[in-house]
Amino acid sequence: KHKSKKTSKTAFSCHAPDAEKVFLAGEFNGWSKDGTPMKKETSGKWSVKVALDPGKYQYKFVVDGGGAVRLLAAEATRVLIVLSMNTAQ
């Protein structure tokens, strides 16, 4: 069988030095506010790698969850395009 899609690890990161918890929510995890936890680095940057097929995905960073979702990037939903060459734009 011919396989046209190749899953690859895509890196996500955001800068939130004062945050206690950061999660990645998007189309790829059903917009789960706590399904994809990110790891904090000493620089205040949070990161995670997610296996994704090539395609276009919307996502948000959920910072300190709480009752209301606080988002980075001026409350914007971001769009990620995963290409077959393991490059994200």
Side-chain angles (χ1 to χ4, degrees), residues 21-26 31-34 59-72 74-77:
K21 295 178 184 178
V22 178
F23 296 90
L24 179 65
W31 292 101
S32 173
K33 294 193 294 185
D34 59 3
Y59 68 96
K60 296 181 180 184
F61 297 112
V62 181
V63 180
D64 291 339
V69 178
R70 183 166 65 103
L71 303 172
L72 297 181
E75 306 296 316
T77 298

Side-chain angles (χ1 to χ4, degrees), residues 3-4 6-7 10 14 16 18-19 27 33 38 41-43 48-49 56 64 66 71 73-74 76-77 85-88:
K3 196 172 185 180
S4 61
K6 184 176 180 178
T7 301
T10 301
C14 70
D18 298 328
E27 295 174 309
K33 294 193 294 185
M38 300 180 76
E41 299 173 14
T42 55
S43 64
V48 67
K49 289 186 179 182
K56 184 176 176 179
D64 291 339
L71 303 172
T77 298
M85 295 175 58
N86 200 17
T87 303

Side-chain angles (χ1 to χ4, degrees), residues 5 10 12 26-29 31 52-59 77-84 87-89:
K5 292 184 177 183
T10 301
F12 292 85
E27 295 174 309
F28 42 81
N29 69 0
W31 292 101
L52 296 172
D53 289 331
K56 184 176 176 179
Y57 302 92
Q58 291 186 344
Y59 68 96
T77 298
R78 298 177 182 197
V79 176
L80 168 75
I81 300 173
V82 179
L83 305 175
S84 60
T87 303
Q89 293 182 342

